Amino acid sequence: IADINTMEKKLAEYKCDTNEAIALKLVRFPEDIDDDSTTFHPEYSHQTFGDDEVAFGYKGLQIQLFYTAGNLNTLFKVKYSSKVTEAFDCVEPDDVEVKIREIIPAGFTSNSDDFLTFLEKEAKFKPFGTLLHTYKVQNEEEGELTYQIHKADITCAGFQKYHERLQTFLMWFIETASFIDTDDDHWDFFLVFEKYNKDGETLYATVGYMTVYNYYVYPDKTRPRVSQMLILPPFQGEGHGPQLLEAVHRFYCSLPKVQDITAEDPSENYVKMRDFVLAKLCQGLPSFAEEKLHLGFSVDMYKEAQEKLKINKKHARRVYEILRLRATDMSDEEKARDYRLEVKKRLFGPYRKNQRELAKLKRCLSAEELVSHMAQVDTKTQHEELEKSFQTLVDDYRRVIERLAALA
């Protein structure tokens, strides 16, 4: 037993956290390659290395996935200080290289000199598709930086290969990511690029992207649904997400056949960002004027939001609640109460549905079964949950209002 324990301890030394082992980099200049400050790491690696996010069989494992900043040509190397087979018989290390090759497309190099050749060709890389929007961001170190948002589709020359490289980042930063079938022509792609100078030339770096699928709506409309959205980690927190979402909304607003825009299984962060963007867009609409907000959510609000901004009823209702909160003096007890009741009335919808289901159950359950079920549907608990949901929502709405105020 002692020998087994000793063996287990020694083998444990050969386990590596793959989120730490994978080193990602977006390279603009040759000196970036050895600069640790330009390295970033995955948030997730379970889809490649299992739920434990561990690679077995190595000490000091480093999986290098370095990309040229614009065209995303890839350097892939595996380094380690020692390997389990050098010390133990009958124990096989994980084949890290095979696992990574399942994700990254062909065309990568494992030779640093070849990668530097890719880097020299970056000056020829130009953004794909049609330019939709240009904006500037103030950077403390580099001053004013210029960004562009482009719309592309799979017919753009070179785009399919580029997209295969770009989507590899999804595996490391979106928990339930999957690759899409780009042969389907219902996909639209929206890309963010940063313009930067190198040796007197203007180059472009990839910042992030969004994929949107155009669903058919009877009889003659489409409903674009946001499928994936990722701003690459070196650019996060700089406001690129809202810029991208607003540009996408404005693009679809110009198309008469679009009914409204939705999102597939949106994350909490995406919902918060969408609240901000849609509130920003709606605050200038006549139906959302301050004097009308206190009269309640109206058909005019929903119709104007849908017709002018392709916003559906559910999202328009959230925007109304945000803008009404901004226009409400919450220190006035009566106004605060009116607002609270208005929002809770909507939040109570699922609970009301439960009450209807309970009425049905009463007709078909025995007394014993009904008592058992009633224990699960405690009215006091429902009210507590409702209050908690309301407070969480108001906190989220206040953060949106603060962001709107920062624009003024």
Side-chain angles (χ1 to χ4, degrees):
I1 292 171
D3 286 347
I4 292 171
N5 287 340
T6 305
M7 175 70 90
E8 281 181 358
K9 280 180 183 174
K10 284 187 176 178
L11 290 176
E13 294 172 11
Y14 286 86
K15 286 183 178 178
C16 296
D17 179 336
T18 46
N19 289 340
E20 291 177 14
I22 296 168
L24 302 162
K25 211 181 270 280
L26 294 163
V27 179
R28 299 186 184 192
F29 306 99
E31 54 269 29
D32 292 343
I33 293 169
D34 296 317
D35 181 357
D36 287 342
S37 72
T38 63
T39 303
F40 55 103
H41 300 276
E43 286 179 34
Y44 309 103
S45 54
H46 61 278
Q47 295 213 56
T48 309
F49 291 98
D51 290 343
D52 292 340
E53 299 182 319
V54 163
F56 172 74
Y58 307 88
K59 277 186 183 178
L61 178 65
Q62 189 184 50
I63 301 164
Q64 293 182 342
L65 283 169
F66 296 173
Y67 296 79
T68 57
N71 205 20
L72 305 178
N73 287 305
T74 314
L75 174 69
F76 168 44
K77 282 185 176 181
V78 177
K79 296 181 173 182
Y80 49 86
S81 54
S82 65
K83 199 172 177 180
V84 73
T85 46
E86 293 163 10
F88 302 95
D89 294 327
C90 75
V91 179
E92 286 294 317
D94 291 338
D95 196 332
V96 170
E97 198 160 315
V98 165
K99 288 177 186 285
I100 296 292
R101 279 171 180 263
E102 287 173 4
I103 290 179
I104 62 172
F108 66 85
T109 183
S110 296
N111 182 296
S112 297
D113 290 337
D114 289 345
F115 184 69
L116 288 171
T117 304
F118 283 147
L119 198 57
E120 287 165 12
K121 294 176 181 173
E122 280 284 280
K124 294 178 182 174
F125 172 73
K126 295 291 179 277
F128 299 94
T130 311
L131 174 64
L132 295 183
H133 178 53
T134 300
Y135 62 98
K136 296 182 187 298
V137 173
Q138 202 64 32
N139 182 286
E140 283 182 22
E141 294 170 18
E142 300 173 66
E144 193 174 67
L145 300 175
T146 301
Y147 296 87
Q148 293 183 347
I149 296 173
H150 288 245
K151 179 194 173 283
D153 59 49
I154 218 66
T155 61
C156 298
F159 178 71
Q160 183 145 8
K161 293 286 185 193
Y162 165 85
H163 176 260
E164 285 174 7
R165 298 189 290 274
L166 175 59
Q167 70 178 352
T168 61
F169 286 98
L170 295 177
M171 288 296 163
W172 312 128
F173 297 103
I174 295 181
E175 192 171 3
T176 56
S178 58
F179 293 162
I180 63 174
D181 174 17
T182 52
D183 291 334
D184 187 332
D185 63 5
H186 289 81
W187 286 107
D188 287 332
F189 300 85
F190 299 88
L191 308 154
V192 187
F193 297 96
E194 180 191 319
K195 289 174 76 172
Y196 70 99
N197 290 314
K198 182 180 178 182
D199 302 328
E201 291 184 281
T202 299
L203 276 74
Y204 294 86
T206 298
V207 171
Y209 80 120
M210 179 190 284
T211 59
V212 180
Y213 192 84
N214 292 286
Y215 282 90
Y216 167 70
V217 177
Y218 180 84
D220 60 351
K221 298 277 188 181
T222 62
R223 174 171 284 130
R225 182 190 286 179
V226 176
S227 174
Q228 303 155 319
M229 181 177 182
L230 178 64
I231 301 299
L232 296 171
F235 303 97
Q236 288 176 5
E238 297 175 357
H240 302 295
Q243 287 279 1
L244 176 55
L245 184 58
E246 184 174 341
V248 168
H249 253 274
R250 290 191 184 281
F251 168 76
Y252 287 120
C253 285
S254 67
L255 305 180
K257 280 191 175 291
V258 170
Q259 179 143 320
D260 52 40
I261 303 162
T262 62
E264 180 186 336
D265 193 19
S267 67
E268 275 185 37
N269 285 339
Y270 180 86
V271 171
K272 288 172 185 176
M273 179 185 69
R274 181 175 64 197
D275 282 344
F276 165 66
V277 170
L278 299 190
K280 179 187 170 191
L281 292 170
C282 284
Q283 63 183 351
L285 297 179
S287 62
F288 286 86
E290 190 170 323
E291 64 273 13
K292 293 182 180 176
L293 293 168
H294 297 291
L295 302 174
F297 184 59
S298 66
V299 173
D300 287 349
M301 288 175 183
Y302 158 51
K303 284 193 170 174
E304 190 176 19
Q306 186 181 44
E307 286 167 14
K308 293 183 179 175
L309 298 170
K310 312 297 184 184
I311 296 170
N312 67 29
K313 189 174 183 179
K314 181 182 171 186
H315 299 161
R317 168 74 198 208
R318 282 180 72 93
V319 168
Y320 151 73
E321 290 174 3
I322 291 164
L323 297 179
R324 178 163 172 178
L325 177 63
R326 184 174 69 173
T328 300
D329 177 3
M330 294 299 276
S331 65
D332 181 315
E333 210 169 296
E334 191 178 338
K335 289 176 181 176
R337 180 178 171 277
D338 287 347
Y339 179 78
R340 192 168 61 249
L341 290 175
E342 176 75 355
V343 175
K344 282 188 174 182
K345 193 165 64 178
R346 175 180 67 80
L347 293 175
F348 192 66
Y351 297 105
R352 199 181 291 119
K353 187 182 173 193
N354 282 346
Q355 296 297 327
R356 287 198 297 270
E357 286 173 358
L358 189 61
K360 288 179 191 171
L361 285 171
K362 280 180 181 175
R363 292 196 292 269
C364 57
L365 290 183
S366 69
E368 199 174 302
E369 288 170 326
L370 193 59
V371 168
S372 170
H373 185 80
M374 289 290 283
Q376 297 168 31
V377 193
D378 175 15
T379 308
K380 184 169 178 273
T381 307
Q382 282 187 5
H383 284 298
E384 286 171 0
E385 285 179 4
L386 193 61
E387 180 60 25
K388 191 178 172 185
S389 297
F390 173 75
Q391 292 301 340
T392 302
L393 198 65
V394 166
D395 288 344
D396 289 343
Y397 286 176
R398 287 193 196 283
R399 278 190 281 273
V400 173
I401 292 164
E402 284 167 17
R403 290 179 77 179
L404 290 171
L407 297 174

